Amino acid sequence: MKLFVKMYLNHEVNISICQHVVHEIIILLTTQNVNMLCKYFRRILMSVRCKLGDIMKQRRLSNKDVVALTGVSRNTITSLAANATKRIDYDTLEGLCRGLGVTPGDLIEYVPDDNTKTP
């Protein structure tokens, strides 16, 4: 949990991601599901992230606003904005790009892992 507080303070994640992570950790710890907890952390610490939440914050858009602009479902918007998804469909990506006037590169970011060796 200290890791996510540090990441939040360094502006690497937003508060909704931290709240979501803490909630999921509590659920997994209370059910004593260690394997699921490990899978969850691997997903959270992925090196590819969606920047929809940042775009929404900059433009002061709510989930409802983005749904209206893009035609993408509210659940998908919520998940992408919290960077809590493993994949994104091309149809979803197209709707977001068209509705928000952005490119895929504006929505998706690659963050290299410090432990990754480069050739």
Side-chain angles (χ1 to χ4, degrees), residues 1-116:
M1 209 164 330
K2 289 181 184 179
L3 169 69
F4 289 101
V5 172
K6 182 180 176 185
M7 290 172 71
Y8 172 70
L9 293 175
N10 291 334
H11 303 289
E12 296 171 19
V13 295
N14 62 34
I15 191 67
S16 64
I17 293 172
C18 293
Q19 290 170 335
H20 179 74
V21 168
V22 170
H23 176 74
E24 292 294 319
I25 290 171
I26 290 169
I27 289 171
L28 293 171
L29 288 176
T30 56
T31 60
Q32 297 181 359
N33 194 335
V34 176
N35 288 335
M36 287 298 293
L37 185 60
C38 291
K39 286 180 184 177
Y40 183 76
F41 273 112
R42 278 195 296 274
R43 190 178 83 218
I44 290 297
L45 300 174
M46 289 186 304
S47 58
V48 175
R49 72 176 206 91
C50 180
K51 299 189 296 183
L52 179 60
D54 298 337
I55 292 169
M56 291 170 62
K57 185 176 180 180
Q58 289 170 354
R59 298 182 184 186
R60 295 187 174 111
L61 295 171
S62 68
N63 285 8
K64 186 177 179 179
D65 297 331
V66 177
V67 168
L69 289 168
T70 64
V72 176
S73 77
R74 184 182 56 81
N75 288 342
T76 300
I77 297 298
T78 302
S79 182
L80 289 170
N83 199 37
T85 186
K86 290 183 180 182
R87 65 179 182 85
I88 183 169
D89 294 330
Y90 284 128
D91 292 342
T92 300
L93 187 58
E94 180 183 5
L96 290 169
C97 290
R98 194 172 297 215
L100 297 173
V102 297
T103 66
D106 297 329
L107 283 169
I108 300 170
E109 175 181 43
Y110 173 69
V111 182
D113 184 3
D114 292 339
N115 298 326
T116 304

